[in-house]
Amino acid sequence: MGRSGAGKTSMRSLIFANYSAHDTRRLGATIDVEHSTVQFMGDMSLNIWDCGGQHKYLDNYMNEQKENIFGNVEVLIYVFDLETANKDSEYTLYDECINNLGKYSRDAKVYTLVHKMDKIPEADLKEAKLDMYRRALAKRSDLFKPEVFGTSIWDNTLFHAWSQIVRRLVPSMSTIERHLERFQKLTEAAEVVLFERATFLVVCSINTDKGAGSNKYMVVSQAIKTYRNRCTAIQSALQSFEIRNRDFSLFIEPFTKSTFILVITTDPEIEPAVTKANIKAAQPHFQDKLLI
C-alpha cells in the first residue's frame, strides 16, 4: 500500500518477476488491485495484493472495499515515497490503513519501507531520515509496532528488507536454522547461507563470526540473481557457482526443490570435493524432513 509513484510495483517486479532495476522504468501505473500468487519455500503461497495508489482507488479501498482489502491480512507493507512533497498526506493515508487493519486484521504484521533512499547520498543523513520516520510512526501505531526499512531498487537494501519480511512468514524457520547450524558444524564450514530458489532472497544464514553482518549476503543475493537472469537471456541455466583462492572456497549449489545453498570454507585442508559431497548428502534430509 502507498501513494501512486511510490515504487510498489517496481519492487514487486524486481523481487518476484526477475526484473532488473532498469527494466522497471517501463512499468505503468497499477490499475486498481493487481493480485499475484507466489510459491515460496516449498508449499507456502504468498498472495500479494499490489494496490494502485491513485486517489480514486485509495478512496475506494478505505470506504466501499475496506473489509475486502484489509480483512484476513497477514502482512501490510506500506511504502513511503521519499520524494513526496506532501508528507502530511502520506501520514494521513498510513493512519487510515492502520485504522482499517486494526478493525479487520488485528494480528497482522506491519512493515514500512521508506523508498528511493538512493536520493540521499550520505549514510548518516539516511539514518537520520529513517529515525525520523521511526519516531513518527511509533506515535501513530498503538496496536501495531511497524518495522522500518530504507530501500532502493538501485542497491541491496530492497533485498535485505524483503528477506527480513518474508523469512518471518516461514513457520518452520527456527527448525530450519537449527538444522542448518548442525550442517555448518558437521562440515566445518565458516559460513552457510540458504537462499530461496525463485527470488534468491536470503532465508537463513549461519556464520562462525558472530559479529559479522548479513549485508554481504544481500550483495551476493542480488549479484547471483542478476547473473542468473543473464544466463536465462541466452537460454542457459545457472547450475552452480564456485570460487576458490588461497583464503577461502565458496560454493553455491542447488539444494532442495525450493532453495540454493552457499557454503564457504576457510580451512585449506578441506577438499572442495568433500564440501560438495557433504552438500549432496544433506539434500535428502532437508528436502524430506523439513519439506523445503
Side-chain angles (χ1 to χ4, degrees):
M1 188 69 74
R3 293 284 182 189
S4 179
K8 303 181 298 297
T9 302
S10 293
M11 64 174 64
R12 176 172 63 87
S13 299
L14 197 149
I15 295 293
F16 295 106
N18 293 323
Y19 276 56
S20 70
H22 291 283
D23 290 338
T24 62
R25 292 173 174 175
R26 67 173 186 260
L27 294 170
T30 302
I31 305 302
D32 202 1
V33 180
E34 289 188 4
H35 303 266
S36 59
T37 301
V38 178
Q39 292 299 122
F40 192 87
M41 291 297 291
D43 296 330
M44 190 172 78
S45 295
L46 302 180
N47 297 309
I48 302 172
W49 291 24
D50 182 2
C51 300
Q54 295 92 325
H55 288 291
K56 61 180 179 180
Y57 301 133
L58 292 174
D59 289 341
N60 197 23
Y61 304 154
M62 301 304 159
N63 296 289
E64 287 84 358
Q65 289 194 61
K66 59 184 179 182
E67 188 171 355
N68 180 47
I69 294 293
F70 294 99
N72 299 313
V73 173
E74 292 287 337
V75 172
L76 171 67
I77 301 174
Y78 191 95
V79 182
F80 284 95
D81 185 350
L82 190 67
E83 293 187 305
T84 187
N86 191 343
K87 290 288 193 297
D88 290 338
S89 175
E90 282 266 42
Y91 284 129
T92 298
L93 176 59
Y94 175 80
D95 291 342
E96 290 186 77
C97 291
I98 290 298
N99 289 336
N100 282 318
L101 199 67
K103 292 178 183 177
Y104 301 109
S105 299
R106 294 177 62 87
D107 294 328
K109 305 294 184 184
V110 177
Y111 301 94
T112 55
L113 307 185
V114 183
H115 200 45
K116 305 179 183 178
M117 289 294 287
D118 55 283
K119 301 300 181 181
I120 304 177
E122 296 84 2
D124 55 342
L125 294 181
K126 287 182 179 181
E127 192 57 37
K129 179 66 71 173
L130 289 177
D131 283 341
M132 184 197 76
Y133 274 96
R134 290 185 184 107
R135 290 193 300 270
L137 296 178
K139 297 175 183 178
R140 312 177 95 88
S141 309
D142 294 333
L143 180 61
F144 305 99
K145 304 299 180 184
E147 190 165 354
V148 181
F149 297 95
T151 59
S152 168
I153 64 172
W154 300 105
D155 58 32
N156 62 294
T157 54
L158 188 62
F159 281 83
H160 171 71
W162 276 91
S163 290
Q164 293 298 309
I165 293 169
V166 172
R167 72 187 300 275
R168 291 168 193 173
L169 297 176
V170 180
S172 58
M173 183 53 64
S174 60
T175 302
I176 294 172
E177 288 178 335
R178 187 170 66 252
H179 284 260
L180 199 66
E181 185 172 14
R182 185 164 179 261
F183 170 82
Q184 175 263 320
K185 290 179 178 177
L186 289 173
T187 59
E188 299 182 4
E191 303 175 52
V192 180
V193 185
L194 208 59
F195 296 98
E196 199 276 329
R197 183 179 283 257
T199 62
F200 246 86
L201 293 174
V202 176
V203 175
C204 180
S205 62
I206 305 296
N207 193 329
T208 53
D209 181 2
K210 300 302 182 182
S214 61
N215 184 63
K216 63 181 178 181
Y217 303 139
M218 308 305 163
V219 176
V220 172
S221 168
Q222 190 175 26
I224 292 297
K225 188 171 183 180
T226 300
Y227 177 71
R228 185 177 63 177
N229 289 346
R230 290 176 179 171
C231 289
T232 302
I234 59 172
Q235 298 183 338
S236 184
L238 173 63
Q239 297 295 329
S240 62
F241 192 88
E242 185 174 333
I243 297 175
R244 281 187 274 167
N245 59 35
R246 63 182 182 182
D247 297 318
F248 66 87
S249 295
L250 178 150
F251 307 88
I252 296 178
E253 299 278 344
F255 196 48
T256 68
K257 64 181 181 180
S258 59
T259 63
F260 269 73
I261 194 169
L262 178 151
V263 178
I264 297 176
T265 60
T266 55
D267 186 345
E269 295 185 1
I270 300 177
E271 292 290 337
V274 173
T275 299
K276 297 182 80 168
N278 285 332
I279 292 173
K280 187 173 182 178
Q283 287 173 340
H285 175 79
F286 280 81
Q287 181 76 64
D288 300 334
K289 301 292 185 182
L290 302 183
L291 302 176
I292 60 174

